[in-house]
Amino acid sequence: MADIDDELDDRAGTVRPYTVTGGRTRAGSEDLPLESLVRTVTDPAHAPGVIERRRILEMTRDTMLSVAELSAHLRLPLGVVRVLVADLSDERRVVVHRPTAAMANPATNLKVLESVLNGISAL
Amino acid sequence: MAFLRSDVVTAGVQAPAAPAQDTAPVTVKIVIAGGFAVGKTTFIGSISDIEPLSTEAAMTEHSIGVDDAGGVSDRKTTTTVAMDFGRISLPGNLWLYLFGTPGQDRFLFMWDDLTRGAIGAVVLVDTERLDACFDAVDYFEARRIPFVVAVNCFDGIARHSLDDVREALAVSPDVPVLYTDARSRAATKQTLITLVGLAMSRLR
């Protein structure tokens, strides 16, 4: 873990961001909402490819994290993380929970908003 | 306080029927907008479960090509735009994300990404720099995104009446205009409650 972190530290700021995706952007991946939750469903140790891919798998093994949180923790731009997550999802290494997958947009669901209101009030 | 809250959350997340990890939380988000250095990150930090995180979007050749960046043709330019955000776990397996907008107006096009699927927005206002929030107000009005205007009272002092602020911004009567204090959890809470209430009234 520490080694990986060191390696990420060394990279930060010294490499163009899209280097980790091989310079690829990816059509469609920009549709992945920032608040989509990612969860690992495979063993991170067996993931080939750049170190950032393995980091994503490790970070989301015990807890789900959003695309935005992965971007912040990895210090990679959102667009890069979206490409990596879309790749990992295609390879069935992670499951991506989009906010709109389970129901129509939760932000326009009165029941959800009621729960949000009650939840905030009780904080 | 934090411990108490996380206990409640754990109880909510771990439904008896299934382990927590099998049921993905429902995620919702609220956008915190306003001018540069108006207190957005402080606002988020006052209520977030996690220390506010910062993420960035790089305006790459690709994104410059597809986004409306004002016809920028210099493809060698890479600009990064930082956005701060926080997260609140709520009972009922809900995660509420609070996303701060990039402060500079020239990144307005990025807001589409932030506001897609959002409950609504809080426009934080510093009455000494009222014009800094005009773009935000215009943006949410044009897209019919529910928003409240929250006048951030630095040092707890209100220097302008809410009526004056409402008049200066020329927002419609159904847009709530209220005082807040970005450092105060209670005030932040009240601001968010007002916004969610507004969003609910729009659905009824």
Side-chain angles (χ1 to χ4, degrees), chain A residues 32-39 60 63-70 85 94-99, chain B residues 23-27 87 93 95 97:
Chain A
L32 202 60
L34 305 178
E35 65 276 24
S36 301
L37 296 177
V38 180
R39 179 160 59 96
T60 60
T63 179
M64 293 184 214
L65 287 176
S66 64
V67 168
E69 281 161 300
L70 289 171
V85 167
V94 299
V95 173
V96 180
H97 299 277
R98 290 168 179 252
Chain B
T23 316
V26 171
T27 53
R87 191 185 75 200
N93 206 12
W95 281 6
Y97 282 93

Side-chain angles (χ1 to χ4, degrees), chain A:
Chain A
M1 272 297 257
D3 288 346
I4 293 175
D5 284 335
D6 288 347
E7 189 168 333
L8 286 173
D9 279 342
D10 290 344
R11 280 196 191 188
T14 61
V15 177
R16 286 183 172 276
Y18 277 86
T19 302
V20 299
T21 67
R24 278 178 315 129
T25 56
R26 197 182 138 143
S29 70
E30 62 265 28
D31 292 336
L32 202 60
L34 305 178
E35 65 276 24
S36 301
L37 296 177
V38 180
R39 179 160 59 96
T40 299
V41 289
T42 51
D43 185 349
H46 298 143
V50 294
I51 197 89
E52 286 81 358
R53 281 163 49 94
R54 212 169 86 211
R55 272 300 271 148
I56 290 175
L57 296 176
E58 285 172 354
M59 286 193 299
T60 60
R61 185 164 46 180
D62 300 322
T63 179
M64 293 184 214
L65 287 176
S66 64
V67 168
E69 281 161 300
L70 289 171
S71 163
H73 291 311
L74 289 169
R75 277 164 286 163
L76 285 174
L78 284 167
V80 174
V81 172
R82 279 170 159 155
V83 171
L84 295 177
V85 167
D87 287 350
L88 289 168
S89 173
D90 281 356
E91 297 163 24
R92 298 179 190 277
R93 296 181 196 279
V94 299
V95 173
V96 180
H97 299 277
R98 290 168 179 252
T100 51
M103 59 180 80
N105 182 2
T108 57
N109 180 315
L110 203 53
K111 267 196 153 161
V112 171
L113 292 188
E114 237 166 49
S115 301
V116 173
L117 188 74
N118 293 335
I120 297 173
S121 304
L123 285 177

Side-chain angles (χ1 to χ4, degrees), chain B residues 33-42 123-127 129 132 150 152 154 182:
Chain B
F36 182 70
V38 72
K40 295 184 293 267
T41 306
T42 307
V123 177
L124 264 186
V125 171
D126 174 358
T127 53
R129 292 177 294 143
N152 193 14
F154 293 95

Side-chain angles (χ1 to χ4, degrees), chain A residues 18 25, chain B residues 57-69 75 79 109:
Chain A
Y18 277 86
T25 56
Chain B
M59 286 176 61
T60 60
E61 295 174 25
H62 172 70
S63 61
I64 288 172
V66 295
D67 290 316
D68 179 14
R75 289 180 171 263
T79 311
F109 69 93

Side-chain angles (χ1 to χ4, degrees), chain B residues 91-172:
Chain B
N93 206 12
L94 281 167
W95 281 6
L96 170 62
Y97 282 93
L98 302 178
F99 281 101
T101 59
Q104 303 91 326
D105 304 343
R106 64 197 170 100
F107 299 124
L108 212 58
F109 69 93
M110 278 207 49
W111 291 24
D112 295 346
D113 206 4
L114 291 175
T115 56
R116 190 159 31 111
I119 292 175
V122 172
V123 177
L124 264 186
V125 171
D126 174 358
T127 53
E128 301 299 311
R129 292 177 294 143
L130 206 56
D131 58 339
C133 76
F134 288 171
D135 285 326
V137 169
D138 287 347
Y139 182 94
F140 298 122
E141 265 180 355
R143 286 160 186 79
R144 301 189 175 284
I145 295 169
F147 72 99
V148 300
V149 174
V151 178
N152 193 14
C153 295
F154 293 95
D155 309 319
I157 299 164
R159 294 193 172 82
H160 297 83
S161 81
L162 293 179
D163 284 344
D164 288 349
V165 173
R166 178 182 290 282
E167 199 183 325
L169 294 180
V171 290
S172 77

